[in-house]
Amino acid sequence: MAQQRKGLASDSILRQITDAVLGFLGLLREKETYQAIARWGLWRVIPKRRRILKLMRELNPLVENAPPEMHSLRDEVFSKICLELKPQDQQILLDILNHVEHPLGYEQIFFISLYPILVKRDLEAIPIHTEEHHQLHVEIGYLGHNEDYFFFVFEIDSERRMSLKTPLTVRDDQRDDKRFVIYTLGCTGLVETDFAAYAEQWLLNAPRLSLALPLLATAYAEQWILNTRIYFSHILNDLKKRNYKVTAEAIPEFERGRLSILRRLSLIQLERRQFQSSRRNR
């Protein structure tokens, strides 16, 4: 009986190993796997890496009970997006993200994924202070053709569940003589990042999983960026119905300079705050 049990246990382990190897070979046949590995390797050698790592260390730490995979995922999305941005835009993004009180990570990942689109469309992002934990409130504004300022607001809640099929939650508000809309957005569930299931599938114990996290985060980061931008396209369609003029694919050069005034002013204000902060720390 004992020998039979040992034989069954050996067969079970061998079957699991065989399934894992076959699954891994199946992944290697997929184009996305090679892309993830290539991006992970490229990140280790690019010259911009040192500056981006420095910015990454300046991000406010996640809550104490945040799992290590969330740290890896946020860092991966942040580093990938920073590669699309100029240094001054990287600094502005960092300043916005650090307005979150006790971040869980999801709210930051959501906005990080959107930020390059806002920059390309010459939209100004201004953080709004809130005492709510795990939330990022941002005002998105632009100069209209009549030199008037138009804006809408994102309230990104890390504890609110949302999928690509979740209807938009919108409410109207007014500030002085300006009417604007507020989008209440969730982010948990936008991508199902089940690291535990992956670990079980590939027979990874805790030490091995920690070694695999960077590569896993690379794969999940792509899906987060994609799904976030897909959902943002729904918001753009809604804004178009409300007569916001932010859906143009291309902006003429003579208008681009005028519409980017707010972003320049924001950069000047950011540099001024940094200078004042450095003087206080001396």
Side-chain angles (χ1 to χ4, degrees), residues 30-41 215 218 222:
E30 297 181 5
K31 179 181 177 182
E32 291 78 6
T33 304
Y34 285 110
Q35 289 177 339
I37 295 174
R39 281 189 293 268
W40 179 78
L215 190 56
T218 300
E222 286 291 330

Side-chain angles (χ1 to χ4, degrees), residues 4-16:
Q4 288 180 348
R5 289 176 182 173
K6 287 182 180 179
L8 290 174
S10 300
D11 291 342
S12 177
I13 294 174
L14 181 61
R15 190 179 302 109
Q16 289 179 343

Side-chain angles (χ1 to χ4, degrees), residues 70 115 168-169 193:
M70 179 52 65
Y115 189 66
L168 294 173
T169 302
T193 51

Side-chain angles (χ1 to χ4, degrees), residues 15-28 202-203:
R15 190 179 302 109
Q16 289 179 343
I17 294 175
T18 303
D19 292 342
V21 171
L22 291 175
F24 180 71
L25 293 175
L27 279 177
L28 289 180
W202 295 105
L203 308 177

Side-chain angles (χ1 to χ4, degrees), residues 82-116:
C82 280
L83 292 175
E84 302 180 31
L85 301 172
K86 296 178 180 179
Q88 61 266 31
D89 292 321
Q90 296 172 1
Q91 190 65 49
I92 292 174
L93 175 60
L94 174 67
D95 183 63
I96 294 173
L97 297 176
N98 282 342
H99 276 74
V100 183
E101 295 286 343
H102 304 286
L104 289 177
Y106 289 118
E107 69 288 297
Q108 294 178 323
I109 291 172
F110 187 92
F111 185 76
I112 293 169
S113 302
L114 292 182
Y115 189 66

Side-chain angles (χ1 to χ4, degrees), residues 13 23 28-29 32 37 44 53 67 85 88 101 111 113 128 149 191 198 204 233 242 246 281:
I13 294 174
L28 289 180
R29 289 197 297 267
E32 291 78 6
I37 295 174
R44 295 298 182 273
L53 285 175
L85 301 172
Q88 61 266 31
E101 295 286 343
F111 185 76
S113 302
I128 301 173
Y149 178 64
V191 176
Y198 188 96
L204 295 175
S233 68
R242 299 172 187 272
V246 296
N281 294 333

